[in-house]
Amino acid sequence: MIATALDRLEAPPSSKLLGWQLLDARPEQGWIRIGFDGKKTFCNPAGFIQGGILGAMLDDTMGPAVFVMTDGRLYTATISMTVNFLAPAKVGRIVGEASVTQLGKTVAFVEGRLMAVDGTVLATATTSARLVEAAKAIR
C-alpha cells in the first residue's frame, strides 16, 4: 500500500460508520480507491442500500482524492454533487473510485463511482468542491 496524507489523519465518525478503508491511491494522478461496508442497517424497505448512504460513500471517496493529490494541503467542502444511480446496491463490500478532473485555485472538480465486488457499477457522481487549506479546516 502506498503512503498518503490520509495516514496522518484520523478517520471521522461518519467514515468509520461507512466502513471506510483506503485500498489504493495514485496521488500524482489524483486517483483513489476506497472500500466501504454495505451494512444491512443501511438498507431501504426493498432491501437495497439507501441512496443517501451511497451518496455519502461517493462524497467520502471524491474529497479524499483531492486531499491525497495535494499531500494533505487542501481539504474540500462540497459545493454541489450530482449522483446517478445505475444499479441496486446489495449488502456487502462496495468499492469507490474517484479521479480529480481539474484542480483550480479555489475549486476542484472530481468524478467518482461505486462498484459491487463483481464490478457492477452501482452509482456515479461528479462534484465541485471549494478548496480550503487543511490547516484551517481540520482541527
Side-chain angles (χ1 to χ4, degrees), residues 123-139:
T124 61
T126 57
T127 191
S128 56
R130 172 83 44 214
L131 296 172
V132 181
E133 291 178 37
K136 293 180 182 178
I138 302 171
R139 301 185 198 283

Side-chain angles (χ1 to χ4, degrees), residues 60-134:
D60 226 4
T61 302
M62 293 185 290
V66 173
F67 191 78
V68 165
M69 184 180 199
T70 64
D71 194 33
R73 290 180 296 105
L74 298 173
Y75 181 80
T76 56
T78 303
I79 298 169
S80 68
M81 183 170 74
T82 301
V83 180
N84 299 296
F85 300 100
L86 306 175
K90 299 175 184 172
V91 171
R93 185 68 154 175
I94 295 174
V95 175
E97 290 184 357
S99 295
V100 177
T101 55
Q102 186 174 4
L103 186 65
K105 291 183 180 182
T106 59
V107 176
F109 297 91
V110 187
E111 56 189 21
R113 64 184 181 158
L114 294 178
M115 297 159 293
V117 291
D118 68 0
T120 301
V121 179
L122 305 171
T124 61
T126 57
T127 191
S128 56
R130 172 83 44 214
L131 296 172
V132 181
E133 291 178 37

Side-chain angles (χ1 to χ4, degrees), residues 19-38:
W20 190 101
Q21 180 186 12
L22 178 64
L23 300 177
D24 198 4
R26 293 183 212 125
E28 67 286 349
Q29 297 173 10
W31 177 87
I32 198 166
R33 180 180 291 138
I34 306 292
F36 296 98
D37 297 330

